[in-house]
Amino acid sequence: MKKIIMFINGIETQGYFSMQMGKTFKEMGYLVFYYDYWEEEDSFRKLQQFVEPKNTMMITFNFHGLEDGEVFYHEDGSIYWDIHDIPCFNIVLDHPLYYHKMLKKLPEKYYQISIDRYHQRYMEKYWSDIALGPFLPLAGTGLQNRKEILPVRERPIDLVITGNYTPPKTFDKYIERIDEEYACFYRGMIRDLQLHPEKTIEQVAESHLCREIPEVTKEEIRETIGNLSFIDLYVRFWLRGEVIKQLAESGLKVHTCGKGWDRLECSRHENIIEHGGMDSEGCLEMLGKSKISVNVMPWFKDGAHDRIFNSQLNGAVCISDGSIYLREIFTEGQDILFFRQSDVGEAVRKVWELLKEEDRMQQIADAGYQTAADGHTWGDFAKSLLAFIGQVC
């Protein structure tokens, strides 16, 4: 197959990832068509001209092109991708619990790619009838070649975080929507995750459900987990907020690229320098001006996040909470700094110490760049995905 359909202008970051992968696909001799959500009528017309049965595949993120109600799903129940014999490869960037509804109606030739090994195991356990691709952790993008990257000592920003923030209390309306008994149940799961941040959402949900309802079935557990996205969002933003709050309250100036940071409750809010929402390239440019980039994982316990590799490929030292996978590919203090999710103060101590040692910062930044460049770019991701596609198609 030499033709690839991808999607842009749905979610900005996902479109950016698609464009980065598309560069590699084109270099490898593939023809790439970008379906543009801003120009749907024109895009669909051009798509029909581009499609060649038996020679076309579709690669997407987070079910773009696969949501019931889109032009690809017909009223008679047929699916465009099936009609034209187009295999679909869907890279899911969040926990699968967010997409239970979509998982119930898929094309015949559908393959799901997981970016966390726990997500992969979740699919194997609860959606065993769905074909899975390999575990492929997220990748990063560098805006400049290595020689053009600013040395650490010349960077004007000490500390940056790229990502949005939502106050956890925003999700109280979902916790309290039924009655007090349900609210206590949900808050019990949240407390468990806060006290044991190494646990996954499904591990906590399974244990709490089995304790409350010993006769609960696997199907009932799956359906319940599919309604717990607010718990995942609650704990991920709780941890992200705690990290930035403690860094700012320690006296550090923290630059934020993302929306919502004005809503963080912090006694030293003057130390949070807000740059507002930015597109992908804007965030990468900020990373290129920063000495240290702080990352807080979105509750991925055995995967990676593009923020880590983006930081390194643009010359910043990355400090992040860890995961099983991250500790396999990185060495603490050599190409990254880790802090424990159970001890946010560790991040504060490590940042302060590192800012006093420019030579050490440069060594970690250089080593981090090398690790990211040697296998963790979107070009590497694209090649790994194509290797899998070659096996199944």
Side-chain angles (χ1 to χ4, degrees), residues 212-247:
E212 293 293 321
I213 313 169
E215 68 278 11
V216 67
T217 66
K218 182 178 175 179
E219 178 65 25
E220 288 169 337
I221 292 175
R222 186 180 85 168
E223 290 305 306
T224 300
I225 292 174
N227 292 314
L228 297 181
S229 58
F230 61 92
I231 290 182
D232 180 68
L233 292 167
Y234 188 106
V235 293
R236 74 161 69 173
F237 284 118
W238 160 76
L239 184 59
R240 189 178 297 181
E242 281 298 304
V243 172
I244 301 309
K245 174 185 174 183
Q246 291 197 31
L247 288 166

Side-chain angles (χ1 to χ4, degrees), residues 244-299:
I244 301 309
K245 174 185 174 183
Q246 291 197 31
L247 288 166
E249 290 183 347
S250 77
L252 288 160
K253 300 290 185 184
V254 186
H255 291 252
T256 61
C257 303
K259 299 176 182 177
W261 290 104
D262 57 319
R263 302 169 67 193
L264 177 67
E265 294 182 7
C266 176
S267 63
R268 298 288 303 277
H269 218 287
E270 71 275 10
N271 286 334
I272 298 177
I273 316 300
E274 298 173 51
H275 295 269
M278 290 186 177
D279 63 12
S280 295
E281 290 212 348
C283 290
L284 296 176
E285 289 170 0
M286 284 293 292
L287 290 168
K289 300 174 186 176
S290 303
K291 297 176 181 177
I292 301 173
S293 168
V294 60
N295 172 65
V296 183
M297 295 285 280
W299 224 261

Side-chain angles (χ1 to χ4, degrees), residues 355-379:
L355 286 170
K356 298 172 186 175
E357 303 178 67
E358 278 192 349
D359 289 344
R360 181 169 173 244
M361 264 198 294
Q362 191 64 63
Q363 290 171 359
I364 296 173
D366 290 343
Y369 177 95
Q370 198 60 55
T371 300
D374 290 344
H376 299 284
T377 68
W378 281 110

Side-chain angles (χ1 to χ4, degrees), residues 132-173:
L132 302 178
F135 157 64
L136 287 179
L138 286 178
T141 306
L143 284 185
Q144 299 172 308
N145 66 50
R146 191 167 183 176
K147 291 181 180 179
E148 296 173 323
I149 292 175
L150 276 178
V152 165
R153 64 172 53 89
E154 296 179 19
R155 295 177 171 234
I157 295 170
D158 283 343
L159 187 62
V160 70
I161 182 171
T162 57
N164 300 324
Y165 174 74
T166 302
K169 64 184 179 183
T170 302
F171 307 102
D172 285 350
K173 59 187 176 184

